[in-house]
Amino acid sequence: MPDQLLIYIVNMREWLDWAPAPLASAIVLMLVALVALLASRVITDLLLRIPGERGAFVRSFTRAVRRPVRGLVVVVAVGSSLPAAGLPYTWFAAIGQGLLVVLVLLLGWGAAIAIRILCDVYLARFKTGEEDNLLARKHFTQVGILRRAGDILIFMVTVSAALMTFEPVRQYGVSLFASAGAASLVVGLAARPLLTNLIAGVQIAMTQPIRMEDAVIVEGEWGWIEEITSTYVVVRLWDWRRMILPISYFLEKPFQNWTHQSASLIGTVFFYLDYTVQLDALRARLLEIVKESPLWDGKVVNMQVSDITEHTVQVRMLVSARNAPQTWDLRCEIREKILVWLQREHPDALPRTRIEMNPGKMPVGPVA
């Protein structure tokens, strides 16, 4: 604070000599805090009134950080006024220590908010509602995991810095800083599951074996990746149940990811039919169904006799769709329409059991 302002504060303190010393000092500090708060409100209100699209980012950023910024302005103003407030040394040291701790906490709060805003601005360029949203899901996954890791890091640094402002417990703050690289054996063993999952989260953000809204099969269940945190993953199962798995699971155990490279999938439909089935007519009917269906992506449609048993012919139909849910719906649609068509047009193609009777060897007369 400029020397002239300190002179004003000293003069104000002298003008309040009629009051008890502690009360006068408190009034001076309260007036300084009030003026700083009003000044910060005026500045933020002016920033919120910046017009146009170019000022949209400034307005949103100001709206998000105005509370910690106002707190910082008040803390800095009051801290700078302490030498001129006429406080006893013990009070001066105690209030200064408290303001320093608050300043550190406000800086950590502001840093966390700033990271969140920057992440939101970066992700605003990507749309997850599109059919081919692989790139968007990739960035949402990376930014989401790294932002949570950043929040944890900011929390640790903030708490460490706040502890280091106290001389008696400064060693604990230093130890907390050092724990990121070389913590003690006891703390390391106790925190091993947490650290394992945190490191796994960073690995997943970089290598991305899974992404947000990936279709996966884990533990014999089919679902979608709904949420990826720093320590666990939420899988939304097909029947709306949620499976919670540690994030390290996806680095240590095998699982199926149906949308790792692309959202498009090939689905299979099997039919077990009689030997008399007319394959050409069945293949033509399959083509008619997929061409009429809006679920087909126009890429893959195929039919093959994949196996023959002593009773039936196994027919495999392959079709592709834009994503896993549409692939499932298209497979169900093909099953239903092919079955109805067989029942109506070719009932003789449905599986049947044959028994051959030899009239020359049939028993004659009553059978006891």
Side-chain angles (χ1 to χ4, degrees), residues 95-106 158 161-163 165-166:
I95 295 177
Q97 181 67 41
L99 291 175
L100 182 59
V101 173
V102 174
L103 177 65
V104 171
L105 296 178
L106 287 174
T158 302
L163 290 176
T165 61
F166 297 92

Side-chain angles (χ1 to χ4, degrees), residues 278-299:
Q278 299 181 23
L279 296 176
D280 292 337
L282 182 61
R283 185 175 287 108
R285 179 55 182 159
L286 173 63
L287 289 173
E288 292 178 2
I289 293 173
V290 297
K291 288 181 179 180
E292 295 172 358
S293 175
L295 301 173
W296 185 49
D297 61 1
K299 295 180 180 179

Side-chain angles (χ1 to χ4, degrees), residues 176-216:
L176 190 55
F177 265 128
S179 66
S184 64
L185 179 61
V186 176
V187 175
L189 291 175
R192 188 179 62 83
L194 175 61
L195 294 176
T196 299
N197 285 314
L198 287 176
I199 295 173
V202 175
Q203 287 182 276
I204 284 179
M206 296 295 100
T207 61
Q208 294 204 338
I210 56 172
R211 305 180 186 92
M212 297 295 295
E213 292 302 321
D214 266 347
V216 296

Side-chain angles (χ1 to χ4, degrees), residues 275 305-314:
Y275 275 81
V305 177
S306 55
D307 196 8
I308 294 178
T309 68
E310 63 272 20
H311 298 295
T312 59
V313 174
Q314 184 188 69

